[in-house]
């Protein structure tokens, strides 16, 4: 959400600058400023300039939660949205005489509610998405579908008490060979890690360990 707020703020600033430059009869500056601002905001929105964690470091729950909170289906959907907006932009520019600035600002304005809806929809499943991915890394010997069922059962549990989580899994599984205690411990460990916020640069330091 922090990047989304930044995206809106840059739009507001660009809109004000566009009005100022238009009143000063500097049309080409309006086009250039609008284009560069929109491009910069998209790059900031979609791409992380931090060093990604090494594969084995993703087994650290704090690192996994930090990374997957930024790289997930939300990012992919927003990337698709911006690709479509770029296509629409070039179609409008190629077929009409509308200025670049007006086109960019209009598409930018339209993208804000669309992006917000994407954030709301993907955030509903983000916790499950992260947990299933972490379980698949932690327990690669088990099928993805099985791990997804385990995570779903854990998330639907009404209590975070270990013995109740374990009992809930036992009631919903008939395979006695499954390491249910390890599943529960991993789940609780991840939830605890999710409450720890890493700061920029810590991933690079963790990679060196």
């Amino acid at each position: 959400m922090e990047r989304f707020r930044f995206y809106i703020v840059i739009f507001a600033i660009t809109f004000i600058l566009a009005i100022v430059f238009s009143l000063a009869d500097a049309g080409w500056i309006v086009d250039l400023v609008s284009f560069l601002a929109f491009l910069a905001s998209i790059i900031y929105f979609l791409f992380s300039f931090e060093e990604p964690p090494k594969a084995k470091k993703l087994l650290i729950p704090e690192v996994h939660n930090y990374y997957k909170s930024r790289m997930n289906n939300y990012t992919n959907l927003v990337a698709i949205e911006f690709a479509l907006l770029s296509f629409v932009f070039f179609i409008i520019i190629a077929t009409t005489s509308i200025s670049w600035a007006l086109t960019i600002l209009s598409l930018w304005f339209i993208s804000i509610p669309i992006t917000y809806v994407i954030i709301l929809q993907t955030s509903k499943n983000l916790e499950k998405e992260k947990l299933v991915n972490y379980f698949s890394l932690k327990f690669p010997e088990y099928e993805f579908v099985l791990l997804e069922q385990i995570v779903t059962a854990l998330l639907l549990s009404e209590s975070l008490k270990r013995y109740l989580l374990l009992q809930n899994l036992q009631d919903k599984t008939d395979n006695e060979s499954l390491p249910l205690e390890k599943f529960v411990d991993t789940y609780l460990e991840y939830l605890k890690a999710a409450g720890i916020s890493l700061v920029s640069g810590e991933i690079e330091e963790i990679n060196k360990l």
Side-chain angles (χ1 to χ4, degrees):
M1 289 297 289
E2 181 181 346
R3 293 190 181 195
F4 182 60
R5 285 192 289 268
F6 178 82
Y7 183 70
I8 296 175
V9 169
I10 294 301
F11 167 76
I13 294 174
T14 304
F15 182 77
I16 294 172
L17 289 176
I19 294 176
V20 172
F21 284 121
S22 295
L23 293 175
D25 197 24
W28 68 273
I29 296 181
V30 176
D31 291 342
L32 181 61
V33 169
S34 300
F35 179 77
L36 292 179
F38 187 50
L39 181 62
S41 66
I42 291 177
I43 292 175
Y44 176 78
F45 207 136
L46 290 179
F47 300 101
S48 172
F49 298 99
E50 299 173 354
E51 179 180 333
K54 296 178 181 178
K56 62 180 181 180
K57 300 301 181 182
L58 285 174
L59 289 172
I60 302 174
E62 292 85 354
V63 174
H64 184 276
N65 178 69
Y66 177 87
Y67 183 66
K68 287 300 179 180
S69 292
R70 287 155 177 75
M71 302 300 295
N72 48 57
N73 287 335
Y74 150 71
T75 306
N76 297 332
L77 289 174
V78 172
I80 293 172
E81 175 200 349
F82 285 138
L84 291 174
L85 288 176
S86 299
F87 178 73
V88 172
F89 169 76
F90 286 111
I91 291 296
I92 293 175
I93 293 301
T95 59
T96 70
S97 58
I98 301 176
S99 70
W100 281 39
L102 181 59
T103 303
I104 290 171
L105 290 172
S106 298
L107 293 175
W108 197 340
F109 179 76
I110 292 171
S111 74
I112 291 174
I114 295 175
T115 305
Y116 183 67
V117 171
I118 291 175
I119 292 174
L120 290 182
Q121 292 301 314
T122 54
S123 63
K124 294 179 181 179
N125 298 317
L126 182 57
E127 184 178 9
K128 178 180 177 180
E129 180 187 332
K130 290 190 295 183
L131 278 163
V132 172
N133 183 269
Y134 184 71
F135 269 62
S136 65
L137 294 175
K138 192 82 172 181
F139 306 102
E141 64 273 24
Y142 296 102
E143 294 182 358
F144 183 86
V145 174
L146 171 63
L147 295 176
E148 187 174 31
Q149 292 172 348
I150 294 294
V151 168
T152 300
L154 290 168
L155 287 172
L156 291 176
S157 180
E158 297 180 355
S159 174
L160 291 179
K161 292 183 178 180
R162 187 178 184 277
Y163 77 95
L164 290 177
L165 288 169
L166 184 58
Q167 183 179 5
N168 186 46
L169 281 187
Q170 290 171 340
D171 293 340
K172 294 184 177 181
T173 56
D174 53 6
N175 188 339
E176 297 181 357
S177 65
L178 292 176
L180 299 184
E181 291 189 358
K182 287 185 178 180
F183 289 155
V184 171
D185 289 339
T186 298
Y187 174 67
L188 292 174
E189 179 186 30
Y190 197 89
L191 291 185
K192 182 179 180 181
I196 301 174
S197 299
L198 297 181
V199 297
S200 179
E202 283 192 289
I203 297 296
E204 184 178 352
E205 295 302 317
I206 291 173
N207 281 338
K208 296 176 181 179
L209 298 177

